[in-house]
Amino acid sequence: LVCSTDSSLLSSSGKMKVAMTALEETCSTVEDPQNGTKAGTFRMGDEGIICSPANAKTPLNCHLEAPADATRICFCKGEDDVYKLAPKGSNVCPDQYRAIESAKDCEDAAKAGMQGLPPPSKWEKNDPNNQGSPSSCFKDLETGKVRFNSISMRGFEELDSWQTADHRKICKKAFSGPEAEPSCKFTALEDQVFLGGVSYDKDGGSSAITFMPPGVFQMETKMPFGITEIKLISDKNATCKIKGKNYKLYGNLGVFSLRLKDRNLQAMDLIACNQNV
């Protein structure tokens, strides 16, 4: 497990109360921490539970021992969780994670608990449809509410200072390996004429055999118009960059691929790879 060092998760009374709700406890009063050992802790007082959030001067440090009369709250997660929050102030998902592309997927993920994110995750249908929050699925850390913002990502990859700082974009782990989409590669060499193809078989029942001459592979190309998804294929373990974000192809035995279906990708976005794709 990896324990969070993100002080912003408990940097206000609202966030502290959300965390206590996940523990089925309630803050009677909230007071500023006197020193670093009390940041992100709660303790019993004469009139109930006293909560002390973290702040800029006394950040959360899960490695510090809490005072004898207090209990520290730390969010710990696995190293390979399904969901991850984008960095504070960013509207771009981390490498190997992608935005959740529909309100239905956002709602389903919130109701399933969103493995990897600080609990709770309570779905709220209200769509802000503005640039005051990250685009796509996001979480309000002050309330624990999860909503879907239908505004396009284009034009604000970094959140301006006036935007709500405690709203974080929720990202889901991208395609995780060849086992989800079995494939094989075949070649034949006769009279110096190359014949090659890749066969895919998906759980949904669709299958295809694709013949691809070497000339169609390249290191740079543009996103085409009028598509809902794109599949990157290579005979190398390539990594491609689109709008500053890295996408790694997965596979083995000379067949590496990655299917992208991201509402934030636009026609004519440059796809730049370190191998021919």
Side-chain angles (χ1 to χ4, degrees):
L1 293 178
V2 177
C3 294
S4 177
T5 57
D6 186 352
S7 292
S8 67
L9 295 178
L10 294 173
S11 62
S12 70
S13 60
K15 295 174 188 176
M16 192 73 185
K17 291 176 181 178
V18 167
M20 291 295 286
T21 299
L23 298 176
E24 298 182 350
E25 299 284 359
T26 302
C27 298
S28 300
T29 58
V30 178
E31 63 179 29
D32 290 334
Q34 302 301 314
N35 55 61
T37 63
K38 289 188 176 181
T41 63
F42 64 94
R43 66 188 190 277
M44 289 300 302
D46 294 336
E47 299 181 359
I49 296 178
I50 303 171
C51 297
S52 298
N55 57 36
K57 294 182 179 179
T58 51
L60 177 67
N61 186 340
C62 290
H63 302 292
L64 282 178
E65 185 175 350
D69 63 342
T71 301
R72 171 163 285 111
I73 301 176
C74 286
F75 171 64
C76 299
K77 60 181 181 177
E79 295 183 359
D80 196 30
D81 284 312
V82 177
Y83 298 96
K84 183 177 287 189
L85 295 175
K88 184 177 181 180
S90 174
N91 196 30
V92 179
C93 288
D95 289 349
Q96 306 307 318
Y97 284 78
R98 60 176 176 80
I100 296 176
E101 301 153 359
S102 72
K104 180 65 167 59
D105 289 344
C106 185
E107 178 182 2
D108 290 346
K111 291 180 177 179
M114 292 190 154
Q115 177 193 340
L117 300 191
S121 295
K122 298 178 291 185
W123 169 249
E124 184 176 276
K125 189 176 181 180
N126 179 35
D127 176 2
N129 191 29
N130 60 50
Q131 292 191 4
S133 302
S135 62
S136 304
C137 195
F138 73 92
K139 183 170 184 174
D140 182 346
L141 296 183
E142 288 281 0
T143 63
K145 293 180 179 179
V146 174
R147 289 185 284 170
F148 186 83
N149 186 4
S150 60
I151 195 76
S152 172
M153 175 182 173
R154 181 175 289 275
F156 74 120
E157 293 186 4
E158 298 298 324
L159 303 184
D160 294 331
S161 59
W162 57 266
Q163 291 168 312
T164 310
D166 55 6
H167 287 187
R168 295 281 196 94
K169 191 183 192 80
I170 299 172
C171 306
K172 185 176 181 180
K173 192 168 183 62
F175 174 69
S176 60
E179 66 278 0
E181 196 167 76
S183 60
C184 65
K185 178 182 178 180
F186 50 91
T187 60
L189 188 62
E190 183 178 352
D191 297 329
Q192 305 301 314
V193 176
F194 177 81
L195 173 68
V198 177
S199 177
Y200 296 98
D201 183 14
K202 292 184 62 182
D203 293 338
S206 63
S207 60
I209 297 177
T210 305
F211 293 89
M212 295 168 290
V216 304
F217 289 80
Q218 52 195 343
M219 295 180 69
E220 289 190 358
T221 190
K222 297 288 186 70
M223 281 286 293
F225 289 88
I227 64 167
T228 58
E229 65 180 60
I230 189 171
K231 185 158 190 176
L232 307 176
I233 302 172
S234 178
D235 60 347
K236 302 289 194 306
N237 189 13
T239 298
C240 299
K241 180 174 287 188
I242 309 174
K243 297 171 72 171
K245 180 179 175 182
N246 289 325
Y247 295 87
K248 182 181 178 181
L249 277 62
Y250 291 88
N252 55 26
L253 301 177
V255 181
F256 298 87
S257 64
L258 178 65
R259 187 183 301 274
L260 293 175
K261 187 178 180 181
D262 191 332
R263 66 190 296 270
N264 293 324
L265 299 178
Q266 305 287 337
M268 299 305 292
D269 283 344
L270 178 65
I271 305 173
C273 307
N274 62 355
Q275 304 283 349
N276 285 329
V277 171

